[in-house]
Every structure is written in structure tokens, then in C-alpha cells.
Amino acid sequence: MLIEFSGVLLLFKAIYQTHPPQLRFLLFMLVAAGLLPLALLGVWSVNAVYEQQQNDLRRGTLDLSRALSSAVNAEIESSVAALETLSYHPALAAGRYEEFHSVARNAAMARPYWVSVILSDASGQPVFRSSRPFGSVDPGVYDPDSMKRVLEEKRPLAGMAREGSAGTAAIPVRVPVMVGGEMRYVITAALKLDRIDDILARQNVPDGWAISVADSGFQRVARSRDREQFVGKRLSESFQRDLSNAKTEGISVTPNAAGVESIVGFTKLPRWGLSVIVGAPTSSLHNVVSTALYVYATTLALSLLVCLLVAKTIARRIVGGIATLQMHARDLGQGRAVKAQSCGIAEFDQLSKSLETASMERLAVEGHRRVLVDNLDRSLRSIRAAMEQAREASAAKDHFLAVLGHELRNPLAPIVSTLDLMDIQGKEVYRRERQILRRQATHLHHLVDDLLDVSRIVQGKLTVEKQPVLLNVVVARAHEAIASTVPNRVAPFSLVLPPDEIWVHGDEERLTQLVVNLLINAVRSSAEASISVSLSATASAAMITVSDQGVGMTPDTLAKVFTLFYQAPQSIARSAGGLGLGLSIARSIVHLHEGHITASSDGLGLGAKFRIDLPLLVRSNVPPQADSHRQAALPSRSASPPERFSSPVTPSRILVIDDNVDAATTIAEALSASGHEVRVRHTASECLSILPTYLPDVALLDIGLPDMDGLNLAQLIRASGQFPNLVLIAITGYGQREDVERAMHAGFDQHMTKPVPIGELLARVDALQQLRGRSEQAVPADDWLPPV
């Protein structure tokens, strides 16, 4: 028997040496010796126990977070209900703020968990805080982000926890106050975080568990354990992602605030932006599975002992083979040649030969790669340099257009003001010459506006403010505006309007600009030919058609007619003029209104036609107030024009501040001729010197002053508090929307872009003065004129 066994061993050894076994076979022998069955059984048993305990923990944390979220929600709802009750107080509706301050203070005192009650106006600015005496200076908006949201969403909400001026941490609970369908006020209760701490303290939870409440900014506002250490700090980034991805509730495994891995159940309160988080450390599972692990470890140790005896012989070969492959891999990675070596295991020997082949191929490819990389680096450097030059050129161009518009408006301002002044003086001398100058100044003004619109289009900043618009009015106004610039035109210039009203959803100012640009193009190309503009509609679209019998266009011109700066071929005299911007701007305006514009022509000398299609507004969507004013809005060529300038209702003391002497002088003379008392200064320092002694009613400030920015000057005047009734009007060459917003933010009452028509300026001064007089008799704040 022993001899037969020895023979088998010798035969096996011979086969092993001539045909090395595969690694899979050797590993199978190792596992089959006894490790696999025990390992599977142990893993299954331990895993079953662990999963059961883990499921219990998951269910417990989630159930507790649900219960606590109901309690927190009830607390917030209670505060909201109290604030809504407070919003119906008659003192607030009547605007008796001091009386309402007393009511709010009593309400806050009746609820010890409220720090204070804050009343804010429709813009979000505080009117008073109940914790401060009425009329005291308020330190500012508490959690401006939540105030911005309540103004936008017009619903009750809770903000993020912040520490107030009194040093008490609280959550703002805000309730909008609607009056007549409009939001007039926002009432805020600063809910102490101690209130939420009390809710958590009442819970009986197992040792080691921790409960937290986080706000919408993922900041802990309350915690059942180690409050001083963790409240005020943000949740971990990984848990923030878990909260963001969940709808209302969820469970995750993540380290808690102390770094201990925990099973965390959480419930979100989407309406208030709060989340209740309950964490149980996974270490509590260890005791449960320790017994199972002990049994598993003992069984596995016995199996390992047997496996070690079997694997001792083959392990030596595996380790040697791995060491050889590691050396080959290191040589391959460092670019050195690899020489295959045999270790007695088939897979390792094959892999060693493959590494040798790969080494030779790699050395060959590496040479080619270096050449390609060098070429690519040179190309990338050239591309980056070209892109940087293009960006710099684009930025320089946009800056140039903005500065050009401002610089062109500065000389335009005294020109237009001088013409207005001559009209005020009422002299008939040079009337025709003044009309020519005014037409050319208006044309130059249009060119400046086109340049600035092109800058906005290139930067993607051209916007529209849509509302129901009566196209009959838009087309009629545009026709009248262009007709007034060519009073001596012999060829017909017809307007065809439908008997029915045609409404669209759009920006009235931009739509008027659209039709004006098309008519200007028609006038330039049809000096001695008829022009027609018509308006019609189908069941779903409004159509504006501008046609002429002028020079016409070739197919090549039609393909490029809407391209920026493109102009059809002209003679050297350039009788048509223009910069090639109007049609490109018109196309951009049409696209912003989700419409379509086309151009057509039968050829040179046969005229051209431009057609605009805009989505039709359903008649039922037109607001009633639009109906009541539509006839007043329609222009009439037969109506007698209103008086251009008139004497003011109340003469005012006006201070003009502009470093452009001509512009300041002409405006001052026009205001003086209209009955106002006017002083002129050219710097901000001169303005500050004369204000206390002159005490003007109105100040016209240029923005680009030499010694101080006009915006800073306005802020300085407002901050002094010495001139509460002073009306500030900004007169500047910068007229983009962001320029108007900056002026309003700095404290200006009105914004006017140069050149300023004197008639409009006089009308605004008179209207503002009348309104100021009424405001001194307690006129409501919403009677104030909106900024222009």
C-alpha cells in the first residue's frame, strides 16, 4: 500500500514538472481543503444576525426622526399661526406702526421662546423690531436670504439660524402680509433655538444615540448631546448630499459629528427647510455579533491550519512568481526592457512573456508618442495664445462700445439742450436750421443706441420685459416717429391697420424699436419710392409687414441682410448711410419674442419686403386695465401737439452738477427760462459746499464727476440725513439697465440718459416737486414715481 502511494506521488511529481498546473487549479485545491464551506457558513450566519440588528436600528432611528419632525413642525406652525393672527391687526392695515409696535412687543413677551417680532416693508427693509424702542435705528435685515425668498414666493417660511444683535441664536419665521392681492409687509418672529432644544431634551433615547436639527443651510441648530461643541457647525459634505438627494426622509450610514460611524435616520420638513436627524452608533451592533464571530473565527482557524499545511509547498512558487512579475512590471513602467523568466506556474510564465512583448512594443511606441506630444504642445500653445488674444480683443471692443456710447452722449447733451433752449425762447429765427439740427441729433442718438444694443447682443445681455402689448399702437407710433423725420417726403408713406385689436406678449419699447429699425431701413433704400407698413393677424400669429419699392436686393444680399455690420453694396457717396446694425438688432428682438423675421425681394430695383411673425396673445389673457387705456395710447397725426414747455406749478431751487460746462450751462438756462432758480457747479466738492447754504429742492447730478463718483456723492448726501426732501436726479451718458439699478440703489429718485430732452426734464422736475409736496401731507409711499 505504501509502495503504491509512493508511486502515485512520483507520477504526480513528474507531471507537475513537465506540465506546470494553472493558478486556478492550485487555488481551488487550497480552498477545497476545508476553508470554503466553513467560511460561507460563518459569513452567512454573521451577516444574517448583523442585518437583522441593523434593520432594527434603521427602523428605530427613522421612526424617532418622524415623531420629532412632527413636533418641530407643530412648533413652527404654531408660530406661523400666531404671526398670521398678528397680521390682521387693524393698526397694521392702517399703517399705525407705533401702535402695532406695542402690539408686537406684547405678543413677543407672551411667548418667551420668541426673541422679537420684526416688521419689514414690501422691499424687505425693517420697519421696527419689538425688542427695540420704536423709531430706533435698525441694524439691518436678519437672514437676508430668507427675506428674499419670502418676497419672491409670497408664502410663510423659516430661514436659517443666525445670532442676532442681542447675541441670541434664533430661526426667523416669516409670514407675508397681503393687502389687495399685493404683498405690503413681512412679519418675522425670531424663534429661539432653546425651544427646539426643549423638544429634543424630552426624548428618551438609548445611550450613545444623538438627535440633531439642521436648517436649510445644513447648519446644526440643536443637538441632544454635546450641544456647545456641535451646534452652529455644518453637517458633513457627504451627509449634505444624502439630505439633498432625499425627498422627505431617508436612512444612511455615515460618521456622526464626533466622527463615530452611525446609522442615521432623517426626516425633512420641506416647507420650513428643517431636517430632524437621529443617529445610532454602529458600535452597538458589535456586542450582538461578537458570539457569532467567535464561533466563526474558531472554525475558520481550524480550517486555516489545514489549508496552511496544504498551501505551504505551492505558496513558495506563487510568491516567487509574483516577485518576478513585480520586477517585470516595474521595469515596464520605467521604460526598461523586460526579459521573460519561468517560475513554474503556467499563468505567471505566460504573463511574463506578455510583459516582454509589451515592453518591446512600448519602447517602439514611446518614440512616436514623444514626437506627437511635442507637436501637440506647440499647437496647444498657439491655440491658447490665439484664444487669449481673441478674448482680450472682444473685451476691448465691448469696453470701447460702452465708452463710445457715453462719450458720444456727452456732446449730444448740450446740443439737444441748446436746441430745447432755443425752442423755449420761442424765437422764429433759424427755425428750419434748428429742425435740421434736431433731426440729425436724433439720428446720431439712434446710432449710439444701436451701438450699445449690439454690445448687449454680443454679451448676451439684451433682455425684454414682457407684458400684454397692443400692436396697433406700436406700429402706429413707429410710423409716426419715422414720418416726422421726413416731413418733405413726396413718395407715399402709408400705414395700414386692421379694425380689430391685435395683442401680443412682449416688450412694448423693444417692439417699437423693431418696427422703427425696419422703417428706417426702408426710408434709406427708398428715397423716391413708396413705403408701406401694415399689421394683420391669423388665428395664431400677428404679422407686421414693411414693404418698399426701392433699390431691392440680390439673393446674395438677402442671405446676409441680418448679419451684424453687413451693408448692401453702395456707391462711394453712401447715400443710404447707416452702420449695418438695425436689421441685426431687429432679428435679435424678434427671437427674444419667440417670433420669426424674413426678408424677400424680386431683385435689384424691384423693392423689398420684411415680414415679422409674432405669437398671438389670446384675447382673454389681455388685462382689463389695458382695454381702458388703449384708445388713449393710439397716436393721432391730426391731433394738435401739446405745449412743448410750460411754466412749473411751483418754481424750485435747482442745483446742476456737471463737469461738462456746456451741458450744465444749457440745462441751467433752460430751467431758468422756465421759471426755476438755478445754481451750477462742476465738482462734487463744490456741490457739498453749496448744499447747506443753498438748500435746493432738486439736484441734477452727473455720474462721471472728476473728483468723486456721482453714485458715491448721492450716497454721501443721503447718509448725512440733512436733506430729507431733496430730490436727486441722475443725468449721465450711461443708460444700461444695470446703470439705472446702481443709481436707484445709491439713492437717486430718477435716472435720465443723455441727451436729456428739456421738456421731459421740466415735466419730471414738476411732477417730483408736486409729489414731494403731497408726501409732506402723508401721501402713501406707493404714489412715488417709478424710476426710469
Side-chain angles (χ1 to χ4, degrees):
M1 185 70 178
L2 182 59
I3 296 174
E4 291 178 356
F5 181 76
S6 299
V8 172
L9 289 178
L10 290 174
L11 179 61
F12 179 80
K13 183 176 181 180
I15 296 174
Y16 186 89
Q17 291 176 345
T18 56
H19 300 284
Q22 293 184 349
L23 180 60
R24 288 180 298 175
F25 175 75
L26 298 176
L27 293 176
F28 176 77
M29 289 179 60
L30 180 64
V31 175
L35 178 62
L36 183 60
L38 294 177
L40 292 176
L41 178 60
V43 170
W44 179 84
S45 301
V46 174
N47 185 66
V49 174
Y50 182 83
E51 286 184 352
Q52 178 63 37
Q53 295 299 318
Q54 189 179 55
N55 289 336
D56 291 342
L57 274 179
R58 286 172 176 266
R59 185 165 49 252
T61 56
L62 184 59
D63 290 343
L64 183 56
S65 70
R66 289 170 178 167
L68 288 175
S69 66
S70 298
V72 173
N73 183 72
E75 187 61 40
I76 302 295
E77 291 281 3
S78 174
S79 295
V80 169
L83 290 176
E84 288 178 343
T85 301
L86 198 61
S87 68
Y88 294 118
H89 198 279
L92 179 60
R96 299 192 300 272
Y97 297 142
E98 186 169 3
E99 179 183 346
F100 187 70
H101 175 271
S102 177
V103 173
R105 183 181 58 193
N106 292 336
M109 293 175 62
R111 294 169 177 82
Y113 50 90
W114 283 6
V115 178
S116 65
V117 176
I118 306 166
L119 178 66
S120 305
D121 59 24
S123 67
Q125 293 302 312
V127 178
F128 67 73
R129 294 175 187 264
S130 66
S131 59
R132 292 174 172 269
F134 181 78
S136 62
V137 177
D138 194 274
V141 179
Y142 182 88
D143 186 17
D145 292 338
S146 64
M147 178 60 73
K148 180 180 178 181
R149 286 178 51 214
V150 77
L151 294 177
E152 293 174 349
E153 300 174 10
K154 298 181 176 59
R155 67 175 182 85
L157 56 81
M160 296 175 57
R162 291 289 187 274
E163 185 172 306
S165 59
T168 302
I171 297 176
V173 179
R174 306 187 187 278
V175 173
V177 180
M178 310 298 292
V179 178
E182 296 182 355
M183 190 171 71
R184 293 291 182 84
Y185 306 100
V186 176
I187 301 179
T188 302
L191 180 63
K192 293 180 180 178
L193 299 184
D194 297 342
R195 186 64 172 180
I196 300 179
D197 287 334
D198 292 342
I199 296 175
L200 303 187
R202 292 195 297 265
Q203 307 306 312
N204 184 17
V205 297
D207 292 338
W209 286 35
I211 308 172
S212 297
V213 178
D215 60 19
S216 58
F218 304 113
Q219 177 183 244
R220 293 184 184 87
V221 301
R223 197 170 190 268
S224 62
R225 301 180 59 188
D226 303 322
R227 184 184 185 282
E228 293 77 12
Q229 182 179 356
F230 297 109
V231 168
K233 295 183 179 180
R234 293 172 62 84
L235 302 173
S236 66
E237 294 185 1
S238 61
F239 192 62
Q240 290 181 29
R241 289 192 294 270
D242 293 341
L243 277 177
S244 301
N245 295 333
K247 291 185 178 180
T248 57
E249 63 183 20
I251 300 175
S252 67
V253 179
T254 184
N256 62 15
V260 178
E261 184 177 78
S262 303
I263 294 177
V264 180
F266 58 87
T267 302
K268 298 168 63 175
L269 298 174
R271 184 180 183 189
W272 311 120
L274 298 176
S275 301
V276 179
I277 306 160
V278 179
T282 56
S283 59
S284 60
L285 297 174
H286 296 166
N287 294 332
V288 178
V289 300
S290 60
T291 302
L293 285 175
Y294 177 77
V295 174
Y296 169 74
T298 302
T299 306
L300 185 61
L302 295 175
S303 299
L304 283 175
L305 181 59
V306 176
C307 292
L308 286 174
L309 294 175
V310 176
K312 185 176 180 180
T313 302
I314 62 176
R316 189 179 299 111
R317 292 182 177 273
I318 294 175
V319 171
I322 291 175
T324 301
L325 292 178
Q326 287 176 338
M327 180 182 65
H328 290 345
R330 183 167 56 251
D331 291 341
L332 182 63
Q334 295 177 358
R336 293 194 295 266
V338 174
K339 182 65 176 176
Q341 298 178 13
S342 176
C343 67
I345 298 177
E347 284 82 357
F348 285 9
D349 292 346
Q350 292 173 2
L351 183 55
S352 180
K353 292 179 181 179
S354 299
L355 289 174
E356 181 181 14
T357 303
S359 172
M360 293 186 293
E361 293 176 351
R362 182 182 186 279
L363 291 175
V365 172
E366 184 66 22
H368 297 293
R369 187 189 68 82
R370 289 194 186 97
V371 175
L372 293 175
V373 168
D374 291 341
N375 293 337
L376 179 60
D377 287 341
R378 286 193 293 270
S379 300
L380 287 176
R381 285 194 295 271
S382 300
I383 292 172
R384 291 191 189 100
M387 292 178 64
E388 184 62 28
Q389 291 175 358
R391 281 194 294 267
E392 292 176 356
S394 177
K397 180 241 338 174
D398 294 338
H399 178 70
F400 169 76
L401 289 177
V403 173
L404 177 63
H406 177 261
E407 293 302 322
L408 289 177
R409 280 174 171 164
N410 276 334
L412 268 176
I415 294 174
V416 174
S417 298
T418 300
L419 292 172
D420 290 341
L421 180 59
M422 296 173 71
D423 290 344
I424 291 175
Q425 293 171 348
K427 297 180 180 179
E428 296 296 323
V429 63
Y430 301 127
R431 175 180 291 274
R432 186 178 68 85
E433 289 81 356
R434 295 203 309 269
Q435 293 174 346
I436 293 173
L437 287 173
R438 189 175 295 280
R439 283 198 298 272
Q440 296 307 314
T442 301
H443 175 61
L444 182 57
H445 194 186
H446 285 318
L447 291 179
V448 172
D449 288 342
D450 284 349
L451 283 173
L452 295 178
D453 279 343
V454 166
S455 177
R456 297 187 187 103
I457 291 172
V458 171
Q459 299 178 62
K461 295 182 178 180
L462 187 67
T463 59
V464 294
E465 295 184 359
K466 294 183 179 181
Q467 59 183 1
V469 175
L470 181 59
L471 273 186
N472 308 59
V473 174
V474 169
V475 175
R477 284 178 177 169
H479 176 268
E480 182 177 21
I482 300 306
S484 64
T485 64
V486 287
N488 299 322
R489 180 181 176 86
V490 177
F493 188 12
S494 60
L495 168 66
V496 180
L497 295 177
D500 298 327
E501 296 177 350
I502 298 178
W503 293 84
V504 298
H505 193 236
D507 188 316
E508 183 172 0
E509 180 180 351
R510 289 297 184 186
L511 290 174
T512 304
Q513 179 187 5
L514 164 66
V515 182
V516 165
N517 284 2
L518 294 181
L519 290 177
I520 289 175
N521 180 73
V523 169
R524 287 175 179 167
S525 62
S526 309
E528 303 298 335
S530 62
I531 299 174
S532 173
V533 55
S534 63
L535 175 64
S536 59
T538 65
S540 60
M543 294 176 294
I544 303 173
T545 304
V546 176
S547 57
D548 63 69
Q549 300 299 319
V551 298
M553 290 182 284
T554 64
D556 183 63
T557 301
L558 282 172
K560 303 175 181 177
V561 69
F562 295 110
T563 304
L564 194 61
F565 295 111
Y566 175 77
Q567 293 179 304
Q570 301 182 38
S571 67
I572 194 171
R574 285 185 51 81
S575 58
L579 298 176
L581 305 177
L583 294 180
S584 178
I585 294 173
R587 182 181 61 175
S588 297
I589 294 174
V590 171
H591 287 174
L592 288 173
H593 286 81
E594 302 175 2
H596 186 63
I597 183 171
T598 57
S600 60
S601 175
D602 293 331
L604 291 176
L606 299 178
K609 180 169 72 173
F610 290 84
R611 172 175 163 176
I612 302 167
D613 293 86
L614 298 172
L616 198 64
L617 182 65
V618 179
R619 190 66 181 87
S620 60
N621 293 335
V622 177
Q625 59 269 29
D627 269 348
S628 62
H629 298 294
R630 64 186 185 277
Q631 293 299 331
L634 285 168
S636 174
R637 299 294 304 275
S638 60
S640 59
E643 198 66 33
R644 182 171 179 81
F645 306 111
S646 60
S647 298
V649 175
T650 303
S652 305
R653 290 190 303 276
I654 301 177
L655 178 60
V656 179
I657 307 296
D658 197 328
D659 61 331
N660 188 320
V661 177
D662 291 338
T665 302
T666 52
I667 289 178
E669 291 180 2
L671 292 171
S672 298
S674 298
H676 296 288
E677 178 187 339
V678 186
R679 300 280 180 88
V680 176
R681 294 294 185 270
H682 303 296
T683 64
S685 58
E686 292 176 349
C687 171
L688 295 174
S689 297
I690 194 175
L691 276 175
T693 55
Y694 184 50
L695 296 177
D697 301 309
V698 179
L700 312 179
L701 306 183
D702 183 26
I703 298 301
L705 295 174
D707 55 344
M708 182 187 294
D709 190 300
L711 300 175
N712 293 333
L713 177 59
Q715 290 175 338
L716 190 60
I717 293 173
R718 293 302 190 201
S720 69
Q722 299 179 21
F723 313 100
N725 296 324
L726 176 61
V727 175
L728 293 181
I729 300 178
I731 297 182
T732 174
Y734 297 107
Q736 298 191 34
R737 184 176 304 276
E738 53 266 28
D739 299 319
V740 177
E741 292 175 353
R742 281 196 294 268
M744 297 299 103
H745 183 71
F748 283 99
D749 299 297
Q750 293 279 286
H751 178 284
M752 303 185 73
T753 305
K754 294 179 180 179
V756 178
I758 295 299
E760 182 181 349
L761 175 60
L762 293 172
R764 291 201 188 187
V765 169
D766 191 40
L768 288 169
Q769 283 296 89
Q770 293 184 57
L771 192 56
R772 185 173 65 88
R774 293 186 335 187
S775 67
E776 294 174 353
Q777 303 174 18
V779 175
D782 55 5
D783 278 353
W784 190 255
L785 291 177
V788 177

